[in-house]
Amino acid sequence: MSAQKKRTFKIEAFKHRVELDPKYAEKTWKVLEHAIHEIYNHNASGLSFEELYRNAYNMVLHKYGEKLYSGLVTTLTWHLTEIAKSIEDAKGGLFLEELNRKWGDHNKSLQMIRDILMYMDRTFVPSSRKTPVHELGLNLWRDIIIHSNKIQTRLLDTLLDLIHRERIGEVINRGLMRNVTKMLMDLGSFVYEEDFEKPFLEVSASFYSGESQQLIECCDCGEYLRKAERRLSEEMERVSHYLDASSEVKITNVVEGEMISNHMQRLVHMENSGVVNMLVEDKYEDLSRMYNLFRRVPDGLSTIRDVMTSHLRDTGKQLVSDPERLKDPVDFVQHLLDEKDKYDKIISKAFNNDKTFQNALNSSFEYFINLNNRSPEFISLYVDDKLRKGLKGVSEEDVEVILDKVMMLFRYLQEKDVFEKYYKQHLAKRLLSGKTVSDDAERSMIVKLKTECGYQFTSKLEGMFTDMKTSIDTMQGFYASPYCEIGDGPTLAVQVLTTGSWPTQPSAPCNLPAEILGICERFRTYYLGTHTGRRLTWQTNMGTADIRAIFGNGQKHELNVSTYQMCILMLFNSADRLTYKEIEQATEIPAPDLKRCLQSLACVKGKNVLRKDPMSKDIAEDDAFHFNDKFMSKFIKVKIGTVAAQKESEPEKQETRQRVEEDRKPQIEAAIVRIMKSRKVLDHNTIVTEVTSQLQSRFLPNPVVIKKRIESLIEREFLERDKTDRKLYRYLA
Amino acid sequence: MKLVSFAVGRSTCVQQRSRTMEGETVKLISAEGFEFVIDKKAAMVSQTIRNMLTSPGGFAESQLGQVTFPEISTPILEKICQYFYWSLDYASGKETEFHIEPEITLELMMAANYLHT
């Protein structure tokens, strides 16, 4: 409703009337004062709200607002002083209850007073910038009751004492606590903070500092963390029950600081129960608890991570340098995979799949796998073992899982080209001996390598598969052609391999028995007749042969042997006893291979078709061999393996290494040229960094080697040194 | 003198409404002693009356369910009651004019200030 002016006018008219009774204000105030007393004495039921309201209304209207307000302050002060006395007099445990009860009364009275003085609150208070009635009541309560000498410290001590009692296991009246802390909050959050929260946090800190000291002396790590966790949840529960929500962060910070931060290092390194022990014994629950607790404090997780990393590195280092383990590459890799599985499981179960932990795990593996420069070979051997025999009767998905795991190890390798080299060798052996279990698995492995390293990496491997297929066609052609004379002679299966795709070792061909030579020559004529301009070289070190043998008591056996072994055995068709020297001369098989063959022919129990003089495990140069007449076997077919899945001997290893180094040279050169072509001018260090990053997916090039390659490129005039600045190289188009 | 509100011809609309609407009623008494029985809900449009009826501690008004206004005359209080109902309608979306006769404007304003309406 409008008409502001008219109202002002009317009020002046009222003023006139009031002047008739000078005692009006005094009388009216007396009525109100009496009412306030009655309200505090719980006697309000007889009072008329309307009358009191009207009186207050008129006092304000007649400009006695100031008198009304100051009267109110005086009356309230008087009442609160009385209340303070009665609270001070309360004995022992009744103190808090009395305080709480009086607070309730005061609140109720205050509301009634505010209601009857509403008009003053609405008009006089804002215009004269006074504190509104309700707030005034709270302020007075704060100053007169809470901040009174006798009550302030007593209240604080009582509260802290109750909390301490609850901490040591007693049951306290939480409802009362809740009311009292709420009262402190109602008086303003700074009252709560200053009069209660601050000292509360200090007392808590010293309590937990003491308790954690005591616990850490007598508990193991898991036990300690369990207790810390319980304390933490207790405090949170306390906050939710009877403290203000804003305290939660503060008190949990205190507990975390005292119980976790301060003892972090000691906890993780605790002997027989620290992180290392938990990791070793797969204590998922403890680790998970530790993770969740340590996550709350700064540097907590990195502390766990550091311990895990150093433990991983130590055990990994031991693993890869343990000579016992190195004896069996398959077991070695299996062990690595198991270790990885174990930690993957820990991270997913206990560490919430934390990315930083996964990274730490990966970097640790990368670190120690590359400590052993035979890792690429071993991983390839592991795949070899799996693809040869390990995957029989395993479903396709499981094969994928195993191969994926291998790929994961592969990713850690820095020298991926070394792996490629070995993988090629092993694949060649598998393909040629027809021992691969599943073509699908082989191909899937190739696809994985391809996605990981690109087409270049696998093109030769794929070439090998193509060769195998064309060889089958060629053989069919050969047997259909007039070149092959079908008779009693041996059957020949030739696999024609493209030079370059296969890891051929330039081995001196051994002397083949006459029976075989004939058909070999016929094949050569056939093949060169259909494909002109090609050259065939026999790789006798890679073939296999099936031969039929009749033993002493007329027992017939079919022996499945390598080409070399076949050559040796054929010699015994014309002699019963041959010395090592004689065999070597007749076959011209290279010594290490010969020894290996003889070992598998004479020294393996159940497959010893030859007898050796003297009987011993190893082959010596002056040994002699007999045809073993008494050879017995349950099987008609006897497979005499060359010692399969051999890891390389030391000189072979050196050789492979050297070949890898050779292969790296053109790759490094290509990278340098690629970089220089786009950048034109570059200084030495930048080239080295760029080359390293380009080749990282395959291997880590040695800076010295890079320098040599640059020099070589300068010699061949791909690059030149800058004439003024010798550190700069220029690209010569 | 004691008259029930519906005896006054002009305030029949008030009475009719109170009959139709469910819930508690309160009695407002004018300076001359006229009693207006209206819905509590309507009376609560006035902030002052709301406090009178809801303030804790049991004032006489909330116990008896009646409020006496010694400074408000019968016609003004009647107009005020009509205003309460009009205000409720207005708040619920029924936008009509509330007619105020010019001669009572001043007194009505005074009462409105008092009742915090």
Side-chain angles (χ1 to χ4, degrees), chain A residues 140-187:
Chain A
L140 288 174
W141 175 271
R142 180 189 69 211
D143 296 340
I144 298 169
I145 311 273
I146 301 302
H147 287 173
S148 94
N149 290 338
K150 286 182 187 159
I151 293 179
Q152 192 169 23
T153 47
R154 191 169 165 195
L155 173 63
L156 180 62
D157 290 346
T158 316
L159 290 176
L160 294 181
D161 177 57
L162 283 172
I163 290 176
H164 180 76
R165 278 207 235 158
E166 195 182 48
R167 278 194 182 130
I168 59 173
E170 287 180 33
V171 177
I172 62 165
N173 183 349
R174 288 183 157 184
L176 188 59
M177 289 293 283
R178 151 113 243 132
N179 289 344
V180 174
T181 52
K182 190 166 176 308
M183 169 189 82
L184 293 175
M185 267 317 273
D186 286 346
L187 296 177

Side-chain angles (χ1 to χ4, degrees), chain A residues 439-558:
Chain A
D439 218 32
D440 287 344
E442 288 283 4
R443 286 190 185 277
S444 128
M445 183 70 194
I446 302 273
V447 170
K448 285 186 203 309
L449 287 171
K450 199 173 181 174
T451 42
E452 196 68 30
C453 298
Y455 167 75
Q456 215 191 349
F457 196 85
T458 55
S459 62
K460 288 182 176 172
L461 302 179
E462 282 171 355
M464 289 160 77
F465 281 98
T466 328
D467 278 353
M468 293 307 292
K469 257 185 86 183
T470 36
S471 293
I472 295 172
D473 296 342
T474 313
M475 283 326 289
Q476 278 171 355
F478 173 63
Y479 281 108
S481 75
Y483 290 102
C484 111
E485 299 153 16
I486 297 163
D488 275 347
T491 339
L492 182 72
V494 181
Q495 280 139 349
V496 185
L497 316 178
T498 316
T499 328
S501 296
W502 296 71
T504 44
Q505 287 136 341
S507 64
C510 73
N511 292 337
L512 290 169
E515 295 90 330
I516 311 289
L517 269 178
I519 192 160
C520 285
E521 277 313 310
R522 281 201 295 284
F523 177 77
R524 187 195 289 275
T525 350
Y526 162 77
Y527 187 77
L528 295 180
T530 45
H531 304 82
T532 43
R534 296 202 183 173
R535 228 167 47 131
L536 277 182
T537 322
W538 298 104
Q539 294 286 330
T540 46
N541 56 335
M542 303 208 276
T544 58
D546 291 323
I547 48 178
R548 214 167 281 141
I550 305 169
F551 289 92
N553 46 5
Q555 251 190 330
K556 281 184 188 174
H557 285 289
E558 234 176 71

Side-chain angles (χ1 to χ4, degrees), chain A residues 227-383:
Chain A
K227 291 200 164 130
E229 190 189 38
R230 207 177 58 222
R231 279 303 191 190
L232 202 57
S233 67
E234 268 175 23
E235 288 303 327
M236 285 193 257
E237 195 203 30
R238 188 180 336 279
V239 171
S240 75
H241 271 106
Y242 59 78
L243 300 183
D244 188 72
S246 66
S247 297
E248 178 164 333
V249 183
K250 297 176 195 167
I251 183 66
T252 48
N253 276 342
V254 167
V255 182
E256 285 155 12
E258 294 299 333
M259 295 203 76
I260 301 168
S261 286
N262 289 352
H263 301 287
M264 215 151 53
Q265 290 299 333
R266 183 152 174 202
L267 281 170
V268 294
H269 289 122
M270 242 185 210
E271 225 157 295
N272 300 326
S273 69
V275 172
V276 171
N277 174 272
M278 291 178 187
L279 290 174
V280 171
E281 293 185 9
D282 292 328
K283 290 180 176 167
Y284 300 123
E285 211 179 296
D286 286 342
L287 284 170
S288 168
R289 181 173 295 116
M290 179 178 266
Y291 177 85
N292 286 325
L293 288 175
F294 278 41
R295 190 167 52 174
R296 304 171 145 271
V297 301
D299 299 331
L301 289 188
S302 65
T303 312
I304 307 181
R305 208 160 50 230
D306 290 347
V307 176
M308 186 184 89
T309 311
S310 73
H311 170 68
L312 258 174
R313 290 191 176 201
D314 285 351
T315 49
K317 216 164 162 180
Q318 268 170 30
L319 182 69
V320 297
S321 53
D322 181 358
E324 276 304 304
R325 292 244 178 255
L326 294 183
K327 278 185 183 159
D328 185 353
V330 177
D331 185 58
F332 171 81
V333 176
Q334 189 58 52
H335 215 83
L336 286 180
L337 288 177
D338 291 349
E339 196 76 354
K340 177 76 165 62
D341 276 351
K342 174 188 162 88
Y343 281 94
D344 275 341
K345 212 165 158 196
I346 288 177
I347 288 175
S348 78
K349 275 196 170 179
F351 295 154
N352 197 23
N353 267 329
D354 193 313
K355 277 274 175 297
T356 57
F357 279 77
Q358 283 170 350
N359 291 342
L361 174 65
N362 288 340
S363 77
S364 308
F365 262 82
E366 199 176 322
Y367 164 77
F368 67 73
I369 282 186
N370 288 305
L371 276 183
N372 186 336
N373 60 11
R374 306 199 70 166
S375 296
E377 183 190 349
F378 287 0
I379 293 172
S380 174
L381 279 171
Y382 178 79
V383 181

